[in-house]
Amino acid sequence: MRQILFAGVIGMFLTVIGTPLLIKLLARKGYGQFIRDDGPRGHAGKKGTPTMGGISFILATLIAYALTKVITGEEPSFSGLLVLFLMAGMGLVGYLDDYIKIVKRRSLGLRAKAKMAGQLIVGIAFAVLALQFKDSRGLTPASTKLSFVTDFGWAIGPVLFVVWALFMILAMSNGVNLTDGLDGLATGAAVMVFGAYTFIGVWQHQESCANAVTLTNPNACFEVRDPLDLAVVASALMGACFGFLWWNTSPAKIFMGDTGSLALGGALAGLAICSRTEFLMALLGGLFVLITMSVVIQVGSFKLTGKRVFRMAPLQHHFELKGWSEVLVVVRFWIIQGMCVIVGLGLFYAGWAADK
């Protein structure tokens, strides 16, 4: 369990002290945020704030994980490395998008097809590799069965699994991207979900089927390949995002950009897939789902009826236009996310307890 503590503390320490250095570097190069003309008027003052801040917590997470392994002498797992690969790969796609926004001086960044192609390449590579690397019990990092608290139903096969994994990766990465519209909103929400996955990883490790001989009820165990190492990755991400939040909260000194939002979404999807909690992620990351659905509803309503349901989508901007202050929106949305995590963990425990 020392690994979890080390990873979280190191990740937080690195972003707390490293993010100001990144802010100075980005400001010196003039890598500032572009603001949409059709957005809330209060956002105009954010123009020029350094972006691509996701570099900070991506590097901090990778370094924290590596240092933790060196300090404890434990070997990295394939599951942990795959989640980190997915995070870094999606972060690279986001970085290219942010860089083009700044260099080309256009708010859209990468062309839609190029951005999608990058996400598909990284996502397919992750999904294919996640079905490799069997351990001594024949478990791979991911399963071709669908999962909620544990696997259920019939195996869907490798091809459909790749499609399903891609859907999750794209949904979560773009969900976090849509949520990243107010200072600290996406970062704070992500901290809560990574905290939940730290707990889930520890619990799955303690109740692993690998320890079936010592368990009071072997029928209630978890068939997850590397649960403890997934908890280490989640802890490193939680700590890194927590430290980044110090500089990202209102008034933000730096934005995570697509570099950070795509990386966080990829990490969340990777943790859900490798911990066999895929459908549970929809609840644990409830705020990201809610905000994504607000965009789907807005676009669908406008195309079908020519009318808008919300004053502006994503949902957080709707409440801004209703007169809520930015901080009020962020805090109340954090409360919603906190409740989603509590309910999600409650269902996770209830699902385990029901099998005992």
Side-chain angles (χ1 to χ4, degrees):
M1 301 302 173
R2 292 183 307 155
Q3 295 184 73
I4 296 171
L5 177 62
F6 287 148
V9 171
I10 294 172
M12 182 173 65
F13 176 77
L14 289 175
T15 47
V16 168
I17 66 169
T19 303
L21 302 178
L22 180 63
I23 292 173
K24 291 180 181 179
L25 175 63
L26 295 174
R28 189 181 308 125
K29 290 183 173 293
Y31 290 177
Q33 178 72 33
F34 284 89
I35 302 298
R36 292 169 49 184
D37 294 333
D38 58 345
R41 294 181 180 179
H43 288 205
K46 299 176 185 286
K47 185 175 181 180
T49 301
T51 188
M52 295 195 292
I55 295 172
S56 174
F57 54 75
I58 291 173
L59 292 177
T61 300
L62 295 174
I63 295 172
Y65 181 82
L67 286 179
T68 296
K69 296 302 177 183
V70 171
I71 294 171
T72 62
E74 300 287 342
E75 293 185 359
S77 71
F78 285 111
S79 298
L81 292 175
L82 279 173
V83 174
L84 293 175
F85 161 76
L86 183 57
M87 174 196 71
M90 297 298 287
L92 177 60
V93 175
Y95 171 81
L96 294 174
D97 188 46
D98 287 333
Y99 186 77
I100 291 175
K101 288 177 185 177
I102 295 166
V103 174
K104 299 295 185 180
R105 297 290 174 179
R106 70 181 192 216
S107 60
L108 295 179
L110 278 173
R111 301 296 182 189
K113 291 183 178 180
K115 189 174 182 179
M116 178 62 70
Q119 292 177 299
L120 288 176
I121 291 171
V122 175
I124 291 173
F126 167 83
V128 171
L129 291 172
L131 294 179
Q132 313 302 317
F133 310 114
K134 292 183 179 180
D135 65 5
S136 59
R137 294 183 294 141
L139 294 177
T140 55
S143 169
T144 55
K145 291 184 177 180
L146 299 177
S147 61
F148 182 62
V149 174
T150 57
D151 290 344
F152 66 85
W154 296 282
I156 60 176
V159 175
L160 287 180
F161 167 77
V162 171
V163 174
W164 169 239
L166 280 176
F167 171 77
M168 285 197 63
I169 293 167
L170 293 175
M172 287 309 303
S173 59
N174 288 290
V176 178
N177 184 254
L178 290 171
T179 305
D180 183 36
L182 301 181
D183 295 355
L185 178 58
T187 308
V191 166
M192 298 182 205
V193 187
F194 289 131
Y197 270 105
T198 302
F199 171 83
I200 287 173
V202 172
W203 193 269
Q204 288 178 332
H205 172 70
Q206 292 176 340
E207 301 296 329
S208 172
C209 294
N211 306 322
V213 176
T214 61
L215 296 178
T216 56
N217 185 0
N219 295 323
C221 62
F222 294 99
E223 287 283 11
V224 178
R225 191 189 190 283
D226 307 296
L228 184 60
D229 210 42
L230 291 175
V232 173
V233 172
S235 178
L237 280 159
M238 177 180 64
C241 288
F242 205 27
F244 181 75
L245 185 61
W246 182 271
W247 306 103
N248 181 234
T249 193
S250 184
K253 304 296 183 184
I254 188 170
F255 300 137
M256 70 170 68
D258 281 14
T259 306
S261 60
L262 296 189
L264 292 183
L268 290 171
L271 286 169
I273 292 169
C274 291
S275 66
R276 316 288 173 89
T277 56
E278 295 158 358
F279 282 105
L280 186 64
M281 168 55 76
L283 186 53
L284 291 173
L287 181 64
F288 304 126
V289 175
L290 177 65
I291 287 177
T292 301
M293 289 306 300
S294 73
V295 175
V296 173
I297 292 170
Q298 184 84 326
V299 173
S301 175
F302 187 76
K303 286 186 175 181
L304 292 174
T305 67
K307 297 180 180 180
R308 292 180 172 86
V309 176
F310 307 106
R311 295 188 180 185
M312 184 178 181
L315 187 61
Q316 61 268 32
H317 299 317
H318 167 78
F319 289 101
E320 278 192 291
L321 294 179
K322 287 191 66 175
W324 291 19
S325 69
E326 180 175 0
V327 173
L328 181 62
V329 175
V330 169
V331 172
R332 286 181 173 173
F333 275 39
W334 279 352
I335 293 172
I336 293 172
Q337 176 56 45
M339 290 189 294
C340 289
V341 166
I342 291 171
V343 174
L345 288 178
L347 288 176
F348 173 79
Y349 179 80
W352 170 81
D355 292 331
K356 287 186 69 66

